[in-house]
């Protein structure tokens, strides 16, 4: 069994070797910033405890709508994740969490876990926004259009704004 001190040294060495930005926030406590593409960054805590290494990463705030669809998505994704799982806090905000025995802490394992956190948080981000914030996205789009503001960071959600091919104004499916 590895000691907390040895595990903390392993985590720090792994972060430095991978050139992952981090701040040490106490003995065995690391605040890590993972750069993304869809989600600009994911912040994660790596905390070495007496018998375990805990990881926690904020993914998304509490959805505004379609809670059942969001939670179904999270539960289905949990079945495919390595070492971490989706959870929600008391406010309904969405996190990835995991806990590992100190005996499993190695540079390779830290890299795998952080890779899974980044891939999951970044890869699922737009899907979570589409499910849980579609109305807000549409409202933001309309507000920006009305003021001539840029839409660059909303382009991934353009399909939520434009009418679909099956339902265009004046089509036979419209109720008049």
């Amino acid at each position: 069994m590895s000691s907390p001190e040895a595990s903390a040294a392993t985590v720090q060495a792994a972060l430095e070797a991978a050139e992952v930005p981090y701040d040490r926030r106490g003995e065995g406590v690391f605040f890590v910033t993972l750069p993304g593409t869809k989600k600009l960054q994911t912040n994660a805590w790596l905390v070495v405890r007496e018998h375990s290494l805990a990881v926690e990463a904020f993914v998304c705030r509490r959805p505004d709508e379609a809670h059942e669809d969001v939670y179904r998505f999270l539960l289905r994704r949990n079945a495919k994740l390595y070492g971490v799982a989706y959870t929600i806090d008391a406010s309904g905000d969405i996190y990835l969490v995991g806990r590992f025995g100190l005996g499993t802490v190695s540079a390779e394992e830290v890299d795998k876990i952080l890779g899974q956190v980044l891939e999951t948080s970044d890869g699922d981000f737009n899907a979570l926004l589409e499910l849980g914030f579609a109305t807000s996205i549409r409202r933001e789009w309309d507000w920006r259009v009305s003021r001539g503001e840029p839409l660059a960071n909303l382009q991934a959600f353009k399909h939520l704004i434009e009418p679909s091919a099956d339902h265009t104004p004046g089509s036979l499916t419209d109720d008049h």
Side-chain angles (χ1 to χ4, degrees), residues 41-63:
Q41 68 182 33
T42 296
N43 294 318
W45 290 97
L46 295 173
V47 181
V48 178
R49 298 191 172 129
E50 186 177 349
H51 300 290
S52 65
L53 169 65
V55 61
E56 179 179 299
F58 175 79
V59 176
C60 179
R61 72 178 176 84
R62 180 185 184 273

Side-chain angles (χ1 to χ4, degrees), residues 62-70 128-138:
R62 180 185 184 273
D64 291 341
E65 59 195 359
H67 296 96
E68 186 176 312
D69 294 334
V70 171
L128 290 169
L129 293 182
E130 282 183 35
L131 288 169
F133 301 93
T135 301
S136 294
I137 291 168
R138 287 184 190 103

Side-chain angles (χ1 to χ4, degrees), residues 118-129:
L118 178 59
E119 182 275 326
T120 304
S121 177
D122 194 59
D124 292 347
F125 189 65
N126 284 355
L128 290 169
L129 293 182

Side-chain angles (χ1 to χ4, degrees), residues 48-168:
V48 178
R49 298 191 172 129
E50 186 177 349
H51 300 290
S52 65
L53 169 65
V55 61
E56 179 179 299
F58 175 79
V59 176
C60 179
R61 72 178 176 84
R62 180 185 184 273
D64 291 341
E65 59 195 359
H67 296 96
E68 186 176 312
D69 294 334
V70 171
Y71 301 144
R72 181 181 297 112
F73 176 88
L74 298 177
L75 287 171
R76 286 184 174 153
R77 281 291 284 143
N78 277 347
K80 299 175 183 174
L81 300 179
Y82 175 80
V84 293
Y86 277 114
T87 191
I88 58 171
D89 68 6
S91 301
D93 293 343
I94 300 168
Y95 289 82
L96 284 166
V97 297
R99 200 161 319 289
F100 310 88
L102 292 185
T104 67
V105 176
S106 66
E108 296 79 22
E109 196 65 13
V110 170
D111 185 60
K112 269 195 247 181
I113 296 306
L114 290 178
Q116 181 68 86
V117 166
L118 178 59
E119 182 275 326
T120 304
S121 177
D122 194 59
D124 292 347
F125 189 65
N126 284 355
L128 290 169
L129 293 182
E130 282 183 35
L131 288 169
F133 301 93
T135 301
S136 294
I137 291 168
R138 287 184 190 103
R139 196 172 21 245
E140 178 70 13
W141 185 283
D142 291 344
W143 181 86
R144 289 186 187 190
V145 167
S146 74
R147 288 171 174 66
E149 298 287 332
L151 298 169
N153 67 340
L154 292 178
Q155 289 303 310
F157 307 106
K158 190 174 187 174
H159 64 280
L160 296 176
I161 310 307
E162 296 178 340
S164 70
D166 337 345
H167 186 77
T168 55

